Amino acid sequence: MQKLSTTMIGLLKKILFYLVLILIWELIYKIGVETLEIWKPYTFPSPVSVFETLIDLISDNTLGIAIVASIKRIFIGYSISVCLGIIVGLIMTKFKYLDENLSPLILGMQTLPSICWLPFAILWYGLNESAIIFVIAIGSTFAVSIAILSGIKNVNPLYIRAARTLGARGMKIYWNVITPAALPGVISGLKQGWSFAWRALMAGEMLTATKGLGQVLMVGRDLADISQVMAVMVVIIILGLTVDKLIFGRIEENVRRRWGLDRA
């Protein structure tokens, strides 16, 4: 019962915090647009107009169709990147020569903006679904592989020596010692890969005429409808936070509980 009350209080504090942010936003709009006329209404929207636009997008099902299309693409592309990233990361940890020579290249590829891969995707696949999925996958694969490599390399050697002293060999060391110890770093890398995947998705959808949140964002830009642009940005943030809370947050919580790192 006490835990439930604490949770409710924490939730109310968060709601209050965001309400204050919205009020500050509205205050800035009133002063900057209506009173001092520093900005034009079409360059700085009010939270009320953004909310109304959001309701309109939901009512005509534009937002629903866009969300379903975008979520489908990002989960396919991100799943591919996770599989490829894990394979590449494990291969580099196994072979020192590849680690020494391939790691700098992968690190450089990670810093390359995802939009740079779009010309390749269009030339190879055309303006279709496959091109966007390719950009998503290539945009987050390197972050995942680096996370796997760093997570395994940063495992305390004392754990491995202790396991060998107790008789563990081969895959038992990987499965029972290295993998659990590397999980925190790997999860952080997976979260980073997810953020890269979102950026790649938006880049692909904004530059290709296809259904999705990026396309709705571009329509708002073409119509000079800043409220629609802001509404889509809010939806993207909400989706990102939801996935982080429901998937990555739960995984991190399970890892902390397993390692006895839960706060009292």
Side-chain angles (χ1 to χ4, degrees):
M1 190 68 180
Q2 184 179 0
K3 186 177 180 180
L4 181 62
S5 301
T6 304
T7 304
M8 288 297 297
I9 292 173
L11 180 61
L12 290 174
K13 286 182 178 179
K14 287 184 179 180
I15 293 174
L16 180 61
F17 174 78
Y18 288 111
L19 286 176
V20 171
L21 285 183
I22 293 173
L23 290 174
I24 293 173
W25 177 6
E26 178 67 19
L27 181 63
I28 294 173
Y29 173 82
K30 293 289 187 182
I31 295 174
V33 176
E34 297 183 357
T35 305
L36 300 178
E37 297 184 354
I38 300 174
W39 307 295
K40 300 295 182 183
Y42 57 82
T43 61
F44 191 89
S46 71
V48 175
S49 64
V50 171
F51 180 75
E52 291 174 349
T53 302
L54 195 58
I55 295 298
D56 292 338
L57 292 174
I58 294 173
S59 300
D60 61 13
N61 207 26
T62 299
L63 192 60
I65 294 173
I67 290 175
V68 170
S70 295
I71 290 296
K72 177 185 174 182
R73 292 187 190 109
I74 194 170
F75 271 108
I76 294 174
Y78 182 66
S79 299
I80 294 172
S81 72
V82 169
C83 294
L84 292 176
I86 290 175
I87 292 172
V88 173
L90 290 177
I91 290 175
M92 287 195 299
T93 57
K94 182 68 176 177
F95 300 100
K96 186 178 180 181
Y97 177 80
L98 290 179
D99 179 17
E100 292 175 347
N101 295 279
L102 198 57
S103 294
L105 177 61
I106 290 181
L107 183 61
M109 299 289 264
Q110 182 192 1
T111 60
L112 191 68
S114 301
I115 198 170
C116 294
W117 293 102
L118 195 59
F120 289 94
I122 294 174
L123 290 173
W124 293 343
Y125 301 102
L127 290 170
N128 54 34
E129 200 86 357
S130 299
I132 300 176
I133 292 175
F134 169 79
V135 173
I136 296 170
I138 203 72
S140 56
T141 295
F142 303 117
V144 175
S145 59
I146 289 175
I148 297 294
L149 179 63
S150 300
I152 293 177
K153 288 175 67 175
N154 291 330
V155 173
N156 193 333
L158 183 63
Y159 299 158
I160 300 174
R161 288 198 294 268
R164 286 174 177 166
T165 302
L166 295 172
R169 294 290 184 274
M171 290 303 297
K172 283 188 176 181
I173 293 179
Y174 266 94
W175 186 253
N176 296 321
V177 179
I178 296 177
T179 300
L183 271 180
V186 170
I187 293 172
S188 297
L190 292 176
K191 290 175 67 175
Q192 187 179 29
W194 175 258
S195 66
F196 280 122
W198 261 115
R199 296 172 188 175
L201 173 68
M202 290 300 105
E205 289 184 346
M206 288 173 68
L207 296 179
T208 57
T210 182
K211 293 178 181 178
L213 290 171
Q215 188 261 347
V216 178
L217 195 67
M218 289 300 291
V219 170
R221 188 208 67 173
D222 294 338
L223 298 176
D225 188 350
I226 191 65
S227 296
Q228 180 165 320
V229 173
M230 186 67 74
V232 175
M233 291 172 64
V234 170
V235 171
I236 293 171
I237 292 172
I238 292 173
L239 288 175
L241 291 176
T242 301
V243 171
D244 182 77
K245 184 69 175 178
L246 296 181
I247 299 179
F248 295 112
R250 290 185 177 182
I251 294 175
E252 288 180 326
E253 184 179 349
N254 291 334
V255 170
R256 287 197 301 268
R257 187 184 302 115
R258 184 181 181 89
W259 283 84
L261 299 175
D262 278 339
R263 295 178 180 178

